[in-house]
Amino acid sequence: MSMMADMMKSMPMAETTGMDMSMMQGCIEACSAASMAATMCADADGAENMGRCASMCMNTADVAMTMMRMMMRPNGYDMGCMTSMMTACMTMGEACAAECMMHAEMSEHCRICASACTAMVEACRSAMASMPS
């Protein structure tokens, strides 16, 4: 992902946001991975008649993708909005991970999704800790 790091460094005024851009890069990558895993898990859940898990995964994919897109626009950062969205992303990720963990022993896709969601929550928590108050 050096392209993303190069792009983030090249962004005008990115350094004035007070955000740790390397921390944000890790969070962007984790959100992307969680969105992909949740999308694929939702599809597999649908084939296995696991409606609640599929819905949780679809919501997580949407929230993670939105969070990722917000972080890729540092010139539009508003700390209040970023904090709220980051909290929502962590909450949705935790809920999806918990739901998927209930099926992890019988569904590999749920285990992988739970792991990706947990990694996203941890990356968001680290990024949020680096945000100016």
Side-chain angles (χ1 to χ4, degrees):
M1 284 286 188
S2 77
M3 179 278 304
M4 185 179 16
D6 292 343
M7 193 67 162
M8 289 179 87
K9 288 176 192 169
S10 76
M11 298 290 290
M13 295 183 55
E15 66 280 350
T16 64
T17 64
M19 304 287 283
D20 179 341
M21 297 317 263
S22 63
M23 193 70 70
M24 297 307 286
Q25 181 181 350
C27 193
I28 289 168
E29 291 170 0
C31 285
S32 177
S35 181
M36 289 186 283
T39 297
M40 294 167 69
C41 190
D43 185 61
D45 289 342
E48 296 172 347
N49 295 317
M50 296 188 329
R52 177 167 168 73
C53 192
S55 292
M56 294 288 284
C57 288
M58 288 185 288
N59 288 340
T60 299
D62 290 344
V63 170
M65 184 62 65
T66 301
M67 183 76 258
M68 179 188 76
R69 291 175 58 96
M70 284 178 70
M71 286 185 286
M72 291 190 310
R73 297 186 288 255
N75 290 307
Y77 283 176
D78 174 88
M79 285 307 126
C81 292
M82 289 298 287
T83 299
S84 295
M85 189 62 192
M86 195 84 63
T87 300
C89 190
M90 290 185 295
T91 302
M92 193 72 236
E94 288 169 344
C96 188
E99 180 68 27
C100 281
M101 282 307 294
M102 290 193 291
H103 315 118
E105 287 187 25
M106 64 181 193
S107 295
E108 181 69 4
H109 58 84
C110 282
R111 185 195 64 74
I112 293 167
C113 185
S115 177
C117 287
T118 299
M120 176 184 71
V121 169
E122 291 170 8
C124 285
R125 191 168 286 124
S126 293
M128 197 167 170
S130 76
M131 293 166 61
S133 43

